[in-house]
């Protein structure tokens, strides 16, 4: 939608029908919108996710950990259907108040540890299993450089750019009469 006369409010008031699919369902408040607990499997690691680029980062790492023989990385994976608003259930918001997949629960701790944000989950798993994160100070720093790069810059170069360009901002040709 092209709307270059848009002036942001000082305080964002959520209004129904204010944009695309996810602009409509995201609100300036967090917390559960309905009561439903999460399913739980048999392994210590419980993953609540979906096969989106943010979601698959975590399953790729879990599978790589299993591949190098770390059997404690076995996990149960449950689909959170974000198109059906499953991210707003009481169970899911308890493990990620920001209502975004992926989210992980580690039941090998008492009380269980919740982890959200795909980058935080990657770091958590790498540290938990002492794998794929270099221990040398210099190498660890370089690895974290790229971890934070992929969290912040990569989405803007990839899907984020397309999403914002197509959905949020006016087409550049609408900006100025002087566009070639
Ligand atoms: N920075 C977050 C982004 C997660 C994210 O944007 N997840 C999307 C799917 S890829 C989502 O759950 N969207 C649901 C919504 O916006 O309601 C991360 O890396 O974990």
């Amino acid at each position: 939608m092209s709307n270059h006369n848009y002036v942001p409010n000082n305080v964002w008031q959520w209004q129904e029908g204010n944009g695309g699919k996810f602009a409509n369902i995201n609100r300036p408040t967090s917390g559960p919108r309905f009561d439903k607990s999460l399913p739980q499997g048999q392994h210590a690691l419980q993953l609540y996710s979906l096969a989106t680029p943010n979601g698959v980062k975590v399953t790729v790492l879990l599978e790589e950990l299993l591949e190098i023989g770390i059997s404690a990385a076995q996990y149960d994976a449950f689909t959170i259907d974000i198109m059906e608003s499953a991210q707003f259930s009481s169970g899911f918001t308890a493990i990620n108040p920001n209502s975004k997949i992926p989210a992980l629960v580690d039941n090998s701790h008492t009380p269980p540890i919740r982890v959200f944000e795909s980058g935080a989950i990657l770091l958590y798993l790498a540290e938990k299993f002492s794998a794929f994160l270099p221990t040398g100070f210099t190498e660890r720093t370089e690895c974290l450089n790229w971890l934070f790069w992929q969290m912040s810059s990569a989405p803007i170069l990839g899907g984020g750019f397309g999403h914002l360009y197509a959905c949020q901002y006016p087409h550049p040709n609408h900006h100025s009469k002087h566009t070639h």
Side-chain angles (χ1 to χ4, degrees):
M1 189 178 67
S2 169
N3 181 4
H4 52 286
N5 297 320
Y6 177 69
V7 180
N9 292 326
N10 286 339
V11 177
W12 184 37
Q13 304 289 343
W14 179 76
Q15 294 168 331
E16 226 172 326
N18 66 349
K21 168 82 181 161
F22 288 101
N24 278 341
I25 58 178
N26 279 274
R27 298 179 189 169
T29 53
S30 63
R33 296 189 197 168
F34 61 94
D35 238 11
K36 190 172 181 195
S37 53
L38 291 172
Q40 198 173 310
Q42 53 170 329
H43 298 107
L45 295 177
Q46 302 292 299
L47 176 65
Y48 301 95
S49 192
L50 194 68
T52 69
N54 285 315
V56 295
K57 285 179 215 172
V58 176
T59 30
V60 165
L61 179 56
L62 285 165
E63 292 299 322
E64 290 294 336
L65 289 165
L66 291 170
E67 196 59 33
I68 59 169
I70 300 177
S71 58
Q74 284 181 14
Y75 60 101
D76 296 292
F78 297 98
T79 299
I80 299 296
D81 189 345
I82 62 174
M83 303 306 280
E84 295 296 328
S85 292
Q87 68 274 36
F88 303 112
S89 74
S90 52
F92 191 82
T93 54
I95 61 167
N96 184 358
N98 191 39
S99 290
K100 300 272 184 287
I101 66 94
L104 181 81
V105 176
D106 185 352
N107 286 318
S108 70
H109 291 259
T110 311
I113 294 180
R114 73 177 188 191
V115 201
F116 59 86
E117 283 294 317
S118 56
I121 299 173
L122 296 181
L123 190 53
Y124 179 84
L125 292 172
E127 286 186 325
K128 178 181 171 75
F129 296 116
S130 302
F132 299 119
L133 183 63
T135 46
F137 189 63
T138 307
E139 295 79 7
R140 180 187 152 92
T141 301
E142 180 66 3
C143 183
L144 293 181
N145 289 343
W146 287 106
L147 177 68
F148 281 79
W149 175 84
Q150 68 81 23
M151 289 304 292
S152 54
S153 300
I156 300 303
L157 296 172
F161 171 74
H163 174 79
L164 295 168
Y165 185 80
C167 307
Q168 309 282 317
Y169 296 126
H171 189 278
N173 290 341
H174 297 167
H175 270 309
S176 150
K177 291 184 187 113
H178 307 296
T179 314
H180 305 290

